[in-house]
Amino acid sequence: MGLAADERQALSALFEEVGPEAPTLCEGWTARDLAAHLVVREHRFDAAPGIMVPALAGYTQRVQDRYAAKPWPVLVDQVRRGPSPWWPTAIGPLNELTNGAEFLVHHEDVRRAQPDWQPRPADPARDEAAWRLVRQSAKLNLRKAPVGVVLKHTDGRTAQVKSGTPVVTITGDPVDLLLFAFGRDAVHVSFDGDPSAVDRLKAMSRGL
């Protein structure tokens, strides 16, 4: 399969393992809330815009709450099956483009909210896909960073994702770099740069 499909199946299995009330890294959301979010995102054209547009968020929340009220096995099965064949992101390349980071990050949102979590073992295909995704997404997600940002893969490769001075270099495995770029702090990364610049970058990322 591809990253999106693999992470969808892994997240669905984890949902079944931890149950609907398990915590996640998404503030205020349990596993049930996260599963409902994923279903709304892939099944409701009318409600999906509210995920990104604050003015429409109230309606989206009401729809999401209705999905969250479904029996847990039914909700998890909807996540596992994905969208209908006619849904735009059901197409292979578009699925990878729109769902690769989504499901990888949300899988880790559940994993890393559990006690004694540890990073998953290296996986060349997954990690290479994550490195590609973070180089793309960080340019958008960190565009308002108050400093220049360079990402450094543990294999030595680098990518400048935000110009500016002073520069902060963030080093880590691709999955951890991706999670940082999406505002998560349950990550194993290191920072190299002026301490005040590092503090400003961390503060900004927490607001993502």
Side-chain angles (χ1 to χ4, degrees):
M1 295 189 285
L3 178 69
D6 290 345
E7 293 298 311
R8 178 192 296 276
Q9 296 307 312
L11 174 57
S12 299
L14 184 58
F15 276 150
E16 292 177 328
E17 178 184 336
V18 301
E21 304 311 315
T24 77
L25 297 184
C26 301
E27 186 176 357
W29 279 6
T30 63
R32 181 184 295 278
D33 298 313
L34 178 54
H37 157 78
L38 291 169
V39 172
V40 168
R41 181 177 171 272
E42 296 190 311
H43 291 81
R44 294 292 297 266
F45 276 121
D46 60 322
I51 296 172
M52 300 296 296
V53 181
L56 304 176
Y59 175 69
T60 298
Q61 186 63 55
R62 291 192 294 274
V63 173
Q64 181 173 307
D65 289 344
R66 289 198 291 272
Y67 278 98
K70 289 188 174 188
W72 183 235
V74 173
L75 188 58
V76 173
D77 187 57
Q78 283 191 281
V79 174
R80 177 179 281 116
R81 287 187 288 108
S84 301
W86 50 264
W87 192 267
T89 60
I91 301 169
L94 191 55
N95 178 41
E96 284 298 306
L97 179 65
T98 60
N99 286 329
E102 179 80 8
F103 278 90
L104 176 53
V105 169
H106 284 322
H107 182 196
E108 294 295 333
D109 281 336
V110 180
R111 286 190 70 257
R112 298 185 183 213
Q114 309 314 310
D116 303 319
W117 70 270
Q118 293 293 327
R120 286 183 278 173
D123 178 286
R126 181 200 67 217
D127 294 343
E128 192 61 29
W131 177 241
R132 182 178 66 253
L133 287 167
V134 72
R135 285 181 292 154
Q136 299 166 351
S137 59
K139 290 179 180 179
L140 176 64
N141 293 1
L142 302 181
R143 68 191 185 281
K144 295 183 179 179
V147 298
V149 181
V150 171
L151 304 180
K152 186 175 182 180
H153 193 307
T154 48
D155 68 7
R157 284 180 285 173
T158 62
Q160 183 171 7
V161 295
K162 171 65 167 59
S163 60
T165 55
V167 174
V168 173
T169 298
I170 312 170
T171 303
D173 289 329
V175 171
D176 284 280
L177 293 173
L178 183 66
L179 288 167
F180 178 82
F182 276 83
R184 276 50 171 188
D185 56 9
V187 293
H188 291 173
V189 298
S190 60
F191 299 88
D192 183 30
D194 178 81
S196 65
V198 171
D199 289 343
R200 284 184 286 152
L201 177 59
K202 289 180 177 179
M204 186 281 303
S205 71
R206 287 193 291 269
L208 293 175

